[in-house]
């Protein structure tokens, strides 16, 4: 179980992440230096030993430390001292290649319509693959890494702003100006096999039922015929007894 390092250490980490090197944590601040607290917490949880930090920990820094190095407005946070931050500005000569990630399920549509922001106002790009993947995993456990050809994107009207030393932003990256892995081939649907029809089973297997229509009903016998049959039967019985004696 991770131990709470105390508000003093957390306040120093927040001052560094928000006031000196936000790109090291994959953070992009707005023009006023603010960022959403939930975005900050995601970044802190990626740092070893800081997975315990919650909103309550930030509140403890505000209330337990005199002159805290951070300030909070609603759901956003920023550093009090921001003179070391780079100002967001237009970058006329960005790196030749930049990297960004998209969700796997959005990738097929991205190839058709281009790269759009994932929960942000701008597409976030990095000059480093590892940093781009770190940012992408905050939205998808296994994001798709894309390589943006900056020259092609600029030829199509893209403007890149430098957010920090290693992070850039752009409103939209059109199709044809980036590359990524090939889409997996769709498997052809295999039609279901037809079930073989089996003959209906008899309710009483192994039984034989004769056709009663073929059995003629016994004719009505006269009284004389019945008496003759009875005499014949008695005679046969007496003959059998004689043989036994």
């Amino acid at each position: 179980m991770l131990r709470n390092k105390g508000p003093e250490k957390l306040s120093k980490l927040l001052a560094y992440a928000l006031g000196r090197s936000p790109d090291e944590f994959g953070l992009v601040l707005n023009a006023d230096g603010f960022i959403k607290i939930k975005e900050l917490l995601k970044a802190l949880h990626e740092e070893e030993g800081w997975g315990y930090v919650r909103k309550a920990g930030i509140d403890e820094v505000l209330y337990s430390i005199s002159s805290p190095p951070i300030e909070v407005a609603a759901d956003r946070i920023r550093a009090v001292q921001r003179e070391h931050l780079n100002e967001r500005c237009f970058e006329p000569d960005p790196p030749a290649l930049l990297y960004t990630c998209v969700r796997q399920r959005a990738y097929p549509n991205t190839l058709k319509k281009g790269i759009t922001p994932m929960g942000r106002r701008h597409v976030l790009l990095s000059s480093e693959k590892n940093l781009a993947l770190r940012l992408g995993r905050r939205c998808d456990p296994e994001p798709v890494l894309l390589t943006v050809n900056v020259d092609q994107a600029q030829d199509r009207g893209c403007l890149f702003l430098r957010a920090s030393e290693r992070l850039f932003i752009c409103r939209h990256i059109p199709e044809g100006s980036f590359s990524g892995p090939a889409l997996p081939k769709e498997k052809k649907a295999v039609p279901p096999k037809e079930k073989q029809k089996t003959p209906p089973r008899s309710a009483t297997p192994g039984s034989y039922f004769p056709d009663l229509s073929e059995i003629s009903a016994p004719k009505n016998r006269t009284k004389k015929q019945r008496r003759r049959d009875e005499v014949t039967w008695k005679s046969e019985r007496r003959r059998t007894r004689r043989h036994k004696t």
Side-chain angles (χ1 to χ4, degrees):
M1 184 175 179
L2 296 175
R3 294 183 178 180
N4 191 315
K5 297 184 179 182
E8 293 81 8
K9 289 186 177 181
L10 179 56
S11 67
K12 292 180 180 179
L13 178 65
L14 295 176
Y16 178 75
L18 298 174
R20 285 186 173 271
S21 186
D23 62 328
E24 183 177 332
F25 298 82
L27 299 175
V28 177
L29 314 178
N30 68 9
D32 296 323
F34 278 105
I35 191 171
K36 289 185 177 181
I37 294 176
K38 65 178 182 179
E39 292 296 326
L40 171 64
L41 292 177
K42 286 181 182 180
L44 294 182
H45 293 168
E46 294 168 354
E47 300 294 321
E48 184 177 359
W50 294 100
Y52 72 90
V53 180
R54 300 291 185 270
K55 174 65 166 55
I58 296 176
D59 293 338
E60 187 178 4
V61 171
L62 290 171
Y63 300 134
S64 64
I65 296 179
S66 60
S67 301
I70 57 171
E71 54 187 2
V72 173
D75 62 341
R76 299 175 184 272
I77 185 173
R78 71 177 179 181
V80 174
Q81 301 295 329
R82 302 184 299 278
E83 61 271 11
H84 297 287
L85 295 176
N86 295 323
E87 293 185 5
R88 184 179 299 183
C89 59
F90 168 67
E91 177 56 68
D93 189 24
L97 299 176
L98 291 174
Y99 305 94
T100 189
C101 288
V102 297
R103 297 182 179 93
Q104 282 198 26
R105 65 181 181 180
Y107 183 41
N109 192 55
T110 299
L111 292 176
K112 299 176 182 178
K113 298 183 178 181
I115 307 173
T116 56
M118 289 196 305
R120 301 183 177 91
R121 296 179 59 186
H122 302 86
V123 178
L124 183 58
L125 308 105
S126 175
S127 57
E128 299 177 1
K129 288 183 180 181
N130 290 338
L131 184 54
L133 285 170
R134 177 178 178 177
L135 297 171
R137 292 190 183 104
R138 294 176 186 174
C139 299
D140 190 322
E142 296 182 2
V144 179
L145 179 67
L146 304 178
T147 302
V148 177
N149 187 307
V150 173
D151 288 340
Q152 292 180 356
Q154 287 178 324
D155 291 342
R156 294 175 180 236
C158 292
L159 297 177
F160 293 92
L161 299 180
R162 181 181 286 274
S164 59
E165 183 180 353
R166 293 174 287 180
L167 295 176
F168 300 80
I169 58 176
C170 183
R171 288 191 176 275
H172 177 258
I173 308 295
E175 69 280 6
S177 57
F178 60 89
S179 60
L183 288 173
K185 294 183 179 180
E186 295 184 0
K187 296 182 179 180
K188 295 183 179 180
V190 179
K193 294 182 180 180
E194 294 185 0
K195 295 183 178 180
Q196 296 181 352
K197 294 183 179 179
T198 55
R201 298 180 61 184
S202 173
T204 55
S207 301
Y208 170 72
F209 296 93
D211 188 357
L212 299 180
S213 63
E214 297 178 357
I215 302 177
S216 58
K219 297 180 179 180
N220 295 329
R221 294 183 299 167
T222 63
K223 185 177 181 180
K224 184 178 181 180
Q225 289 174 330
R226 291 197 299 272
R227 186 177 295 172
R228 187 179 59 191
D229 290 342
E230 184 177 352
V231 172
T232 303
W233 175 78
K234 290 181 179 179
S235 299
E236 291 292 334
R237 187 177 180 184
R238 286 197 293 269
R239 189 181 299 112
T240 303
R241 288 178 179 175
R242 289 196 196 102
H243 286 295
K244 287 183 178 180
T245 56

